[in-house]
Amino acid sequence: MVLSFRPAKPGLMLVLGDAHADDAARQRALFAAYRDADADVALQLGDLLYYDLPIPTYFISGNNEDFDVVEALRHGRVESSDVHNAVLLGNEAVEVDGLRVAGLCGNFAPTQFDRARANLRGERRRHFVREDVEAVKQLSDVDVLLTHEAPHGLPVTEDYEVGCEYVDELLEAVEPRLCLVGHHHEHAETTYGDTRVVSLAPAWEHYYRLDPGTLALDRFETPPV
């Protein structure tokens, strides 16, 4: 007799917005979120700035990072006691708790977009370029897409028009079920085609739990520290 067993439901995943954890108070808030969520794995949406983490954390780089660390992670060259459990999603997709998660690092600058990534220097390494976007477009079966830059239509409060046409193109090409967005430090939601798009509050205000089975995303206040 062959027995078939339904696999156990995976635990909820911790999801974190911008952390800016080079600041001591915000670093304490980041770790308070980790403790309170009590998860085994996390996703993070950029502007992390602290890379010695308590659980495996799949993150995209934002426009504020230690770009030497980010480039070392991109090329698999990290040997540092200050980097632990930080996994960069650099234009690739990985399986996390049964979900296929992909990421586009950085933000958009029109003057840099058509340059080769290898030619970006210093703080210019914060940007994504055309080759990054094209690489992510080739990914298939993506459940969750992480971006630091937003698509058009996301109702966040800024003094400029929010939305990048190249993120729009990614959503049209990849068609993820869920797109999570950093950068704006504000919770907001919309849909783009069939994709649910959520801008995350910063980690010092809220953290989120994501159900890998249903993609339900719940928000919780980060405990005071």
Side-chain angles (χ1 to χ4, degrees), residues 54-159:
I55 60 175
T57 300
Y58 295 82
F59 81 105
I60 54 170
S61 59
N63 57 304
N64 297 282
E65 301 287 357
D66 182 328
F67 291 104
D68 290 335
V69 170
V70 167
E71 285 304 302
L73 286 168
R74 189 186 295 275
H75 298 290
R77 297 195 302 260
V78 170
E79 294 182 8
S80 170
S81 60
D82 295 328
V83 181
H84 182 64
N85 279 329
V87 183
L88 182 72
L89 288 179
N91 311 334
E92 60 189 328
V94 296
E95 297 289 330
V96 184
D97 277 4
L99 292 178
R100 188 161 162 83
V101 181
L104 176 72
C105 292
N107 68 337
F108 174 64
T111 59
Q112 305 299 308
F113 185 66
D114 285 310
R115 298 187 66 187
R117 166 151 297 285
N119 292 339
L120 299 183
R121 297 288 182 268
E123 293 299 298
R124 287 301 190 180
R125 293 176 292 175
R126 73 182 60 202
H127 305 301
F128 61 76
V129 296
R130 187 179 299 276
E131 68 187 74
D132 299 325
V133 173
E134 293 303 319
V136 178
K137 280 183 178 180
Q138 302 308 309
L139 301 175
S140 60
D141 301 321
V142 173
D143 297 303
V144 181
L145 177 66
L146 311 183
T147 66
H148 200 66
E149 193 81 67
H152 282 92
L154 191 63
V156 292
T157 306
E158 297 283 8
D159 58 3

Side-chain angles (χ1 to χ4, degrees), residues 172-185:
E172 292 164 9
V174 177
E175 297 183 321
R177 296 160 62 196
L178 175 66
C179 177
L180 301 174
V181 179
H183 190 56
H184 297 289
H185 298 187

